[in-house]
Amino acid sequence: MHPHFSTKERILSAAEELFARHGFAGASLRQVTAAANVNLAAVNYHFGSKDNLINELFRRRLDELTARRLEMLEQAEAQPKPTLEAILEAFVLPALNLASDQLGGSAFMRVLARAYAEHDQTLRKFLSGNYGHVLKRFAQAIRPLLPELDKEALYWRLDFVSGALTYAMSDFGAVKRPPGRSEEDHRRQAAREFVRFAVAGLRAPE
Amino acid sequence: MHPHFSTKERILSAAEELFARHGFAGASLRQVTAAANVNLAAVNYHFGSKDNLINELFRRRLDELTARRLEMLEQAEAQPKPTLEAILEAFVLPALNLASDQLGGSAFMRVLARAYAEHDQTLRKFLSGNYGHVLKRFAQAIRPLLPELDKEALYWRLDFVSGALTYAMSDFGAVKRPPGRSEEDHRRQAAREFVRFAVAGLRAPE
DNA sequence: GTCTATAAGCCGATAGAC
DNA sequence: GTCTATCGGCTTATAGAC
């Protein structure tokens, strides 16, 4: 009846929530293990170190997120006339689904926002080494649809787009769900607004 | 000949650099005072606590930054036909000037990006209490220029804009400065690209 | 104002019993 | 795999000499 949550997953979920709230340096393994209701030593047994726990926390979510994004991107490109809208939706919708459907997905998006601000070498190397290819892949897909835009300008704008998305999805944004609207409607509204905004921004005249 | 830097200011500058690199919890007062070449106890003598040092660090920069932004906003609004470009420039250019002209200004922008990701009560209350009125003031200025946009859509888009700006200002982004271009030129290019992107995004058809 | 010395406590990581 | 106990080191903050 009840699903079984392993010690490892309980630690990952508690870490996600606490790192979202207090940052990687700001939340201790003692807080994490207390919240997960596991022994302090379990972290080192299952993950080896705090740094590696952080890496695994990202891997648990990002492997699936990037797979869904690339999957939708291929579907969009398989159309006879791929649109900028469809490509951007391939980037945005999987992230929104993760944030709203999966337990703890919203905390994960806040952790991701923190990772962007983190200049520490260890985490940045892990993320750009394992997931940096995704942004490049999307840039390649978008480029032929904006032939008048030079390569540098395109990179600037994609940078703005992913920044806007990251911060919009972490919950400190100004836009709260109005009472009486379902979580799913709110998400679809956010996706629609975001894609419209991003398409227009990318298409801005040089 | 040489300007005199007080103990207090040396601490603030060292803190700015170290908090930018490692975060508020990640950099210790021992690291800060060592970098500033002052005694450890000087922090508590001059600032009382680490939390208050952080507040004073923001006050030192933000008082002038918000003054310049509101100044430029008033100039933009004083024109017979205020433009969206001019209003956005009033928000972006003072930040850009701070980042590129003032010693340590670039580190401060990274600290500011960290503050956005910070959900800790103490810092957020200080910032929104002292400087929260600025964003509202800009929203009021922009609204009459986008009369066709409903209030909720405008808030969505302003949220996207400030996310994109925050992200772009911290230097995590994919766009690296090309060799042979000065740091200042790179930032001016970023500002130009950003305003173009943001204006187009805000003006997207509903 | 600046210093030394130290208090009081939390940190990550590990050794070793079960 | 999970536990207790602990090591060595780091943290903020302060008391008190100069």
Side-chain angles (χ1 to χ4, degrees):
Chain A
M1 197 75 176
H2 296 287
H4 177 252
F5 290 104
S6 67
T7 296
K8 222 170 154 171
E9 293 214 6
R10 296 230 305 288
I11 291 171
L12 284 169
S13 295
E16 202 162 58
E17 181 57 38
L18 282 161
F19 290 153
R21 208 192 309 276
H22 304 292
F24 303 111
S28 71
L29 295 183
R30 287 173 147 82
Q31 291 173 284
V32 169
T33 51
N37 253 299
V38 303
N39 189 271
L40 168 63
V43 166
N44 282 78
Y45 177 80
H46 287 285
F47 298 97
S49 69
K50 184 178 185 176
D51 276 352
N52 197 57
L53 165 63
I54 293 170
N55 289 351
E56 292 305 315
L57 184 158
F58 283 102
R59 199 194 302 281
R60 178 172 73 148
R61 303 284 191 186
L62 289 183
D63 281 352
E64 197 183 328
L65 177 61
T66 63
R68 295 272 168 281
R69 280 175 163 166
L70 295 175
E71 208 173 90
M72 280 192 70
L73 176 57
E74 274 164 32
Q75 285 174 18
E77 286 183 313
Q79 298 299 314
K81 287 203 174 181
T83 66
L84 194 50
E85 281 82 358
I87 292 173
L88 282 172
E89 275 173 7
F91 192 79
V92 174
L93 286 183
L96 279 162
N97 290 341
L98 166 56
S100 54
D101 292 348
Q102 308 226 3
L103 194 68
S106 145
F108 176 73
M109 293 312 299
R110 281 178 283 152
V111 174
L112 203 51
R114 278 194 185 267
Y116 280 119
E118 203 69 44
H119 289 220
D120 199 64
Q121 294 288 14
T122 48
L123 180 56
R124 296 191 66 176
K125 276 195 175 173
F126 173 83
L127 289 177
S128 78
N130 287 281
Y131 305 99
H133 64 286
V134 182
L135 260 183
K136 282 190 182 159
R137 180 74 182 72
F138 272 86
Q140 280 171 8
I142 288 172
R143 190 116 87 96
L145 295 182
L146 297 168
E148 76 286 357
L149 208 61
D150 74 47
K151 199 173 175 179
E152 193 192 332
L154 175 59
Y155 275 121
W156 276 116
R157 294 181 186 188
L158 287 178
D159 211 31
F160 299 149
V161 168
S162 63
L165 181 61
T166 303
Y167 280 91
M169 294 222 297
S170 72
D171 67 356
F172 46 81
V175 185
K176 298 280 173 242
R177 175 162 58 99
R181 182 187 293 171
S182 79
E183 179 68 36
E184 179 166 339
D185 282 352
H186 190 57
R187 183 219 319 167
R188 294 198 184 285
Q189 181 70 11
R192 233 187 329 262
E193 289 290 348
F194 182 80
V195 169
R196 259 200 285 267
F197 173 86
V199 165
L202 286 174
R203 287 215 178 106
E206 271 246 66
Chain B
M1 196 74 179
H2 296 286
H4 178 252
F5 290 104
S6 66
T7 296
K8 222 171 155 168
E9 293 215 6
R10 296 228 306 286
I11 291 172
L12 285 169
S13 295
E16 201 161 59
E17 180 57 37
L18 283 160
F19 290 154
R21 210 193 304 276
H22 304 291
F24 302 111
S28 71
L29 296 182
R30 287 175 143 81
Q31 291 173 285
V32 169
T33 50
N37 253 302
V38 303
N39 190 273
L40 169 62
V43 166
N44 281 78
Y45 178 79
H46 287 285
F47 298 96
S49 69
K50 184 178 183 175
D51 276 352
N52 198 56
L53 164 63
I54 293 170
N55 289 353
E56 291 305 315
L57 184 157
F58 283 102
R59 199 193 303 281
R60 179 172 72 149
R61 304 286 191 183
L62 288 182
D63 282 351
E64 197 183 327
L65 177 62
T66 64
R68 295 272 167 283
R69 278 175 163 167
L70 294 175
E71 208 173 89
M72 278 192 71
L73 177 58
E74 275 165 32
Q75 284 174 19
E77 286 183 314
Q79 298 300 313
K81 289 203 173 182
T83 65
L84 194 51
E85 281 82 357
I87 292 173
L88 283 173
E89 274 173 9
F91 193 78
V92 174
L93 286 183
L96 179 84
N97 291 339
L98 166 55
S100 53
D101 294 347
Q102 307 224 4
L103 194 67
S106 149
F108 177 73
M109 293 312 299
R110 280 178 284 151
V111 174
L112 201 53
R114 279 193 184 269
Y116 278 114
E118 203 71 41
H119 288 221
D120 198 63
Q121 295 287 15
T122 48
L123 180 55
R124 296 193 67 177
K125 275 194 175 171
F126 173 83
L127 288 177
S128 77
N130 288 282
Y131 306 100
H133 63 286
V134 183
L135 260 183
K136 282 189 183 158
R137 181 74 182 72
F138 272 86
Q140 281 171 6
I142 287 173
R143 192 116 88 95
L145 294 182
L146 298 169
E148 77 286 357
L149 209 59
D150 73 48
K151 201 173 175 177
E152 192 191 333
L154 174 61
Y155 276 122
W156 276 114
R157 294 181 186 189
L158 287 178
D159 210 33
F160 299 149
V161 168
S162 61
L165 180 61
T166 302
Y167 181 46
M169 288 281 199
S170 77
D171 65 359
F172 178 85
V175 185
K176 295 287 172 235
R177 173 163 58 99
R181 182 187 294 170
S182 78
E183 180 70 32
E184 180 168 336
D185 281 352
H186 189 55
R187 264 195 279 267
R188 296 205 179 283
Q189 181 69 13
R192 232 188 329 261
E193 290 289 347
F194 181 79
V195 170
R196 259 200 284 266
F197 173 86
V199 166
L202 287 174
R203 287 213 178 109
E206 271 247 63

